[in-house]
Amino acid sequence: MKSRALLGLLADGRIHSGESLALSLGFSRTAVWKQIRRAADEGYSIETIRGKGYRLITLIDFLDADAILDQLSSNLRSTISSLQVHDELDSTNAEIIRQRAHNSRSDTLICLADHQTAGRGRRGRQWQSPRGENLYLSLGLMFRGGFAMLDGLSLVLGLAVAEALEKQGVNGVGLKWPNDVFVQGSKLAGILVELQGELEEGVIHVVAGIGINVHMSRAEGLEQAWTSLARSMPDRSWQRNQLSADVIASVLEVSEKFAATGFEGFRSQWQSRDIFSGQALTTVDGTLLGMGCGVDDKGNYLIDVDGKLEKVRAGEISLRAHS
Ligand code: BTN
């Protein structure tokens, strides 16, 4: 974003004269005017007030790597090999995979972007990633013990996001198996886990990609009912740096415990947020299956079909509550 320094000054929403902006930025007034035009081209709405100056109308909630790191404990900070904030990426998951190719030994890589041009969703879908509105965050994590110990990891990551949101004051955060995060019956966040494989024997690299709708008020073409933090709690303001720090802390803490206990250590916490529990479930094509009964110790979903418990594995079918 070329006009970032200018937007940083305008971010307070007050009127700034061309002269004061020029002075603060060390530019000529013509250069300031050009930057105002560029920011408008980038999608920021800036009001020109005759004889007075400029006022930013668009809400600005900048992502900043140092602001995120400052809000993490020194203990957690010391476990992070790198934390980068990008203005624009194809996908933060793709970026972690690229970084890992050069950096296979580092433990934790973290990457955020203000905008994704090819955000990846589950089942090959696209994840809408408008500039400046939401959180697009990926963590490159490392687990020892081979693939078998990863059972249930994607559910546990959903739990980590739910707990971070609760810490931010969001009530009633539910989980839709395997790991969609729901509030008031609508999807607030999604998680895409990509396994990078065993780069060393027994060491599995995992990319945990997390998308949380923060300020988004409009979206087209989404299949499911969706919400954002701003939509579900309109009286509050949200800072993506603070939210990122809480989500990162929660994911790192939960991952450490998961490495020790596996899914078993989280099963009852997960069940308490299960939005399918006790609901009549159908597959997405409408075939009625049975009643939702929570998850087993590997994170498979259990459905009561005519009195018999049937297992559904993540990725096999997509479930809906029958309305
Ligand atoms: C889903 O379909 O519910 C999963 C969505 C995951 C989106 C996030 S945004 C950050 C990370 N980068 C991506 O390309 N996808 C994930």
Side-chain angles (χ1 to χ4, degrees), residues 6 8 37 42 46 93 124 134 149 152 154 174 201 203 208 212 246 248 266 271 278 286 299 310 315 323:
L6 170 82
R37 294 277 304 267
E42 285 169 357
I46 298 171
N93 271 28
N134 301 324
M149 67 83 60
S154 77
E201 207 184 322
V203 181
I212 303 178
D246 284 351
I248 291 167
F266 297 92
Q271 311 263 47
E310 301 280 355
S323 44

Side-chain angles (χ1 to χ4, degrees), residues 30-97:
T30 315
V32 167
W33 180 78
K34 281 188 183 155
Q35 289 235 346
I36 297 270
R37 294 277 304 267
R38 186 177 289 151
D41 290 345
E42 285 169 357
Y44 294 96
S45 166
I46 298 171
E47 185 184 10
T48 304
I49 301 156
R50 258 175 170 261
K52 288 194 171 169
Y54 305 99
R55 189 163 69 93
L56 184 69
I57 310 289
T58 316
L59 165 138
I60 295 246
D61 173 21
F62 278 136
L63 282 172
D64 183 86
D66 291 334
I68 297 170
L69 286 166
D70 283 351
Q71 292 172 66
L72 294 171
S73 69
S74 51
N75 207 8
L76 280 181
R77 265 201 313 264
S78 68
T79 67
I80 298 172
S81 310
S82 110
L83 186 151
Q84 297 180 353
V85 171
H86 294 257
D87 179 37
E88 181 176 298
L89 280 176
D90 49 354
S91 147
T92 52
N93 271 28
E95 175 61 18
I96 291 285
I97 292 168

Side-chain angles (χ1 to χ4, degrees), residues 157-175 181-184 188-189 212 229 232-233 236 238 242-248 250-251 254 268-270 272-275:
L157 292 169
L159 197 54
V161 172
E163 285 173 356
L165 289 166
E166 209 150 72
K167 188 170 170 220
Q168 286 268 321
V170 186
N171 293 322
V173 186
L175 291 167
V181 179
F182 266 59
V183 170
Q184 297 160 359
L188 174 72
I212 303 178
L229 291 171
S232 56
M233 294 174 74
R236 261 203 57 175
W238 300 95
Q242 176 68 62
L243 183 64
S244 307
D246 284 351
V247 172
I248 291 167
S250 186
V251 168
V254 152
S268 63
Q269 278 162 276
W270 195 93
S272 66
R273 296 187 185 271
D274 176 15
I275 67 168

Side-chain angles (χ1 to χ4, degrees), residues 199-219:
L199 303 184
E200 283 167 66
E201 207 184 322
V203 181
I204 313 291
H205 291 270
V206 171
V207 184
I210 299 166
I212 303 178
N213 299 330
V214 182
H215 302 296
M216 192 159 80
S217 58
R218 267 179 306 163

Side-chain angles (χ1 to χ4, degrees), residues 274-286:
D274 176 15
I275 67 168
F276 281 160
S277 175
Q279 302 280 323
L281 299 181
T282 59
T283 58
V284 269
D285 66 7

